[in-house]
């Protein structure tokens, strides 16, 4: 199991930071952190982030996923440096409406959202990426005193944090390199502050229903009882719009999907030929979700992570689900996790929604 730690590091030397991380790791029941630690953000005056090697779980997930009868891989592995860059490129295509619709919506409702953020609060963002949408909130809510971006991509987090530190000098920024689907603790910067969670981008759609409920429950725990959670979800719409969004005419999504194979080659000594697979995006009406697959173009054998996997011609490797909701279906899901929908905003077409969730009274 990967362990990822971060701490507020104002005025501490690199050695001191390392000591704090070591002892926190031991307190959490882990033995080894030292070798894999990487200092990501050099501005140690303000913050530092560390990452413990996640290769072991990547290898394990690849072996399990490619050995299954229905081959599959978790979408979180899309986001290496190249994958994060490709995702940002997807967001700029005409076909991928999710980011465009949500950004326009956030621009319209930023003041309203900000009005619900308490004085001195910490904004905790799950899967922050390049933090572009966050700026709309930060600009509208100067009463925020801390920002905790959580992301699995160290590179993306590193860049975004450095730029935010420059542009919002009064804000304490405490990045956490973590898989937010797993267990992690908030850094000291969030201690004793009211917390507002921010989970835009319809990333919650990547979970299956039970996974989404588990995530929302754990977010409720991490954020505490006085919290609010702002969640962006994509809404069910016509199939043509959905299909184009996940198979854009410039082929960026296809490259994003195949980059997973390139990452396996690089990090796990694989010999995938990305050209031996076709990108496939399809609408699954039963589960109300878009699916991405990589379809083998021929019978062939691939080596990766010290194992051999055979693909039949036409066999699919399932790489992502993106669930689409109605206002009601999402409110019901949130209710199962102890949240109630205090407010809902809907964008112009193609429509996405922003929810303000509050703990059940
Ligand atoms: C970042 C998970 C919200 O599911 O729409 C974009 C990722 N996949 N194009 C999504 C993605 C294909 C995206 N999320």
């Amino acid at each position: 199991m990967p362990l990822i730690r971060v701490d507020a590091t104002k005025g501490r030397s690199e050695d001191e930071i390392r000591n704090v991380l070591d002892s926190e790791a031991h307190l959490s029941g882990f033995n080894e952190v030292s070798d894999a630690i990487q200092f990501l953000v050099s501005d140690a005056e303000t913050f530092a982030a560390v990452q413990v090697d996640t290769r072991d779980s990547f290898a394990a997930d690849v072996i399990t996923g490619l050995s299954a009868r229905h081959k599959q891989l978790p979408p979180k592995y899309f986001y290496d440096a190249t994958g994060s860059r490709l995702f940002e490129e997807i967001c700029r295509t005409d076909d991928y409406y999710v980011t465009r619709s949500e950004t326009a919506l956030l621009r319209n409702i930023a003041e309203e959202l900000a009005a619900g953020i308490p004085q001195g609060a910490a904004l905790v963002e799950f899967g922050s990426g390049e933090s572009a949408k966050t700026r709309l909130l930060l600009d509208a809510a100067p009463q925020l005193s801390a920002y905790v971006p959580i992301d699995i991509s160290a590179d993306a987090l590193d860049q975004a944090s450095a730029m935010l530190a420059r542009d919002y000098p009064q804000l304490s920024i405490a990045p956490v390199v973590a898989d937010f689907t797993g267990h992690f603790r908030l850094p000291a910067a969030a201690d004793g502050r009211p917390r507002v969670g921010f989970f835009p981008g319809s990333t919650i759609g990547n979970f299956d229903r039970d996974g989404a409920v588990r995530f929302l429950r754990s977010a409720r725990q991490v954020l505490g009882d006085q919290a609010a959670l702002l969640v962006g979800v994509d809404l069910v719409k016509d199939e043509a719009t959905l299909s184009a969004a996940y198979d854009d005419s410039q082929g960026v999504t296809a490259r994003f999907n195949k980059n997973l194979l390139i990452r396996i080659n690089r990090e796990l000594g694989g010999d995938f030929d990305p050209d031996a697979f076709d990108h496939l995006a399809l609408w699954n009406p039963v589960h109300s979700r878009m699916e991405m697959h990589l379809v083998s173009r021929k019978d062939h054998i691939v080596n990766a992570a010290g194992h051999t996997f055979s693909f039949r011609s036409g066999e699919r490797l399932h790489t992502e689900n993106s669930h689409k909701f109605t206002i009601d279906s999402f409110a019901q899901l949130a209710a199962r996790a102890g949240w109630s929908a205090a407010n809902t905003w809907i964008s112009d077409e193609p429509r996405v929604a922003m929810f303000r969730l509050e703990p059940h009274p």
Side-chain angles (χ1 to χ4, degrees):
M1 187 186 171
L3 167 69
I4 292 157
R5 291 289 333 150
V6 69
D7 203 357
T9 57
K10 210 177 187 105
R12 284 173 168 155
S13 71
E14 210 170 289
D15 276 352
E16 280 178 279
I17 294 167
R18 189 175 286 272
N19 284 339
V20 172
L21 291 163
D22 274 334
S23 67
E24 294 224 348
H26 283 101
L27 282 175
S28 320
F30 293 91
N31 305 320
E32 269 258 274
V33 279
S34 38
D35 280 0
I37 289 185
Q38 221 188 305
F39 283 83
L40 298 165
V41 183
S42 55
D43 184 8
E45 281 301 297
T46 323
F47 52 76
V50 295
Q51 182 179 41
V52 165
D53 209 330
T54 55
R55 240 175 314 179
D56 283 348
S57 63
F58 185 30
D61 288 347
V62 166
I63 293 164
T64 310
L66 296 185
S67 306
R69 203 160 63 83
H70 297 286
K71 291 185 172 62
Q72 52 177 306
L73 290 171
K76 64 184 179 188
Y77 295 116
F78 280 136
Y79 303 94
D80 64 354
T82 307
S84 298
R85 209 170 25 73
L86 284 168
F87 177 65
E88 306 301 349
E89 204 177 320
I90 289 173
C91 294
R92 289 189 289 269
T93 63
D94 287 340
D95 291 320
Y96 191 73
Y97 61 85
V98 180
T99 311
R100 219 178 332 113
S101 288
E102 191 182 57
T103 305
L105 177 63
L106 281 171
R107 206 162 266 133
N108 284 335
I109 66 172
E111 297 295 330
E112 255 181 284
L113 292 175
I117 297 178
Q119 183 65 40
L123 186 71
V124 178
E125 181 166 359
F126 303 93
S128 47
E130 68 179 10
S131 296
K133 294 166 194 158
T134 321
R135 288 171 177 262
L136 298 170
L137 267 188
L138 296 179
D139 290 340
Q143 73 271 33
L144 280 167
S145 47
Y147 174 52
V148 180
I150 305 168
D151 203 275
I152 196 167
S153 168
D155 307 274
L157 193 64
D158 187 15
Q159 273 187 22
S161 299
M163 266 149 62
L164 287 170
R166 196 195 53 201
D167 296 344
Y168 299 86
Q170 77 303 341
L171 196 66
S172 152
I173 297 171
V176 179
V177 182
D179 170 4
F180 60 79
T181 65
H183 287 281
F184 61 87
R185 275 199 301 166
L186 288 182
D191 286 352
R193 301 186 187 288
R195 293 151 188 180
V196 176
F198 188 41
F199 195 33
S202 146
T203 306
I204 195 153
N206 271 180
F207 295 110
D208 63 23
R209 306 284 150 154
D210 288 346
V213 170
R214 272 198 302 278
F215 166 77
L216 289 169
R217 277 206 191 107
S218 96
R220 187 156 162 9
Q221 248 176 0
V222 166
L223 296 172
D225 282 340
Q226 302 309 313
L229 179 58
L230 308 172
V231 194
V233 307
D234 193 11
L235 299 174
V236 177
K237 55 183 58 64
D238 67 284
E239 194 175 333
T241 303
L242 287 168
S243 295
Y246 289 83
D247 190 7
D248 67 275
S249 60
Q250 296 167 61
V252 187
T253 309
R255 277 195 282 141
F256 174 72
N257 201 4
K258 290 184 183 189
N259 178 60
L260 192 49
L261 305 179
I262 299 169
R263 181 178 187 182
I264 292 173
N265 287 351
R266 188 183 59 247
E267 293 186 24
L268 303 176
D271 60 2
F272 271 106
D273 172 9
D275 294 332
F277 292 85
D278 287 324
H279 168 68
L280 172 67
L282 55 86
W283 170 244
N284 181 331
V286 174
H287 292 288
S288 191
R289 69 192 185 200
M290 283 302 298
E291 299 181 0
M292 293 209 311
H293 301 261
L294 289 163
V295 188
S296 178
R297 298 170 62 103
K298 56 182 186 190
D299 289 345
H300 73 299
I301 278 173
V302 175
N303 299 292
H307 290 246
T308 300
F309 307 99
S310 63
F311 285 83
R312 282 171 287 103
S313 178
E315 186 174 356
R316 290 176 184 179
L317 165 55
H318 189 172
T319 52
E320 186 179 52
N321 292 318
S322 269
H323 290 83
K324 309 300 171 187
F325 297 90
T326 63
I327 295 296
D328 277 355
S329 71
F330 188 74
Q332 277 174 31
L333 188 90
R336 280 174 57 200
W339 294 98
S340 44
N343 221 330
T344 313
W345 297 267
I346 299 176
S347 76
D348 291 342
E349 292 197 2
R351 287 182 181 150
V352 303
M354 180 63 55
F355 281 78
R356 180 187 162 93
L357 302 179
E358 289 174 2
H360 261 327

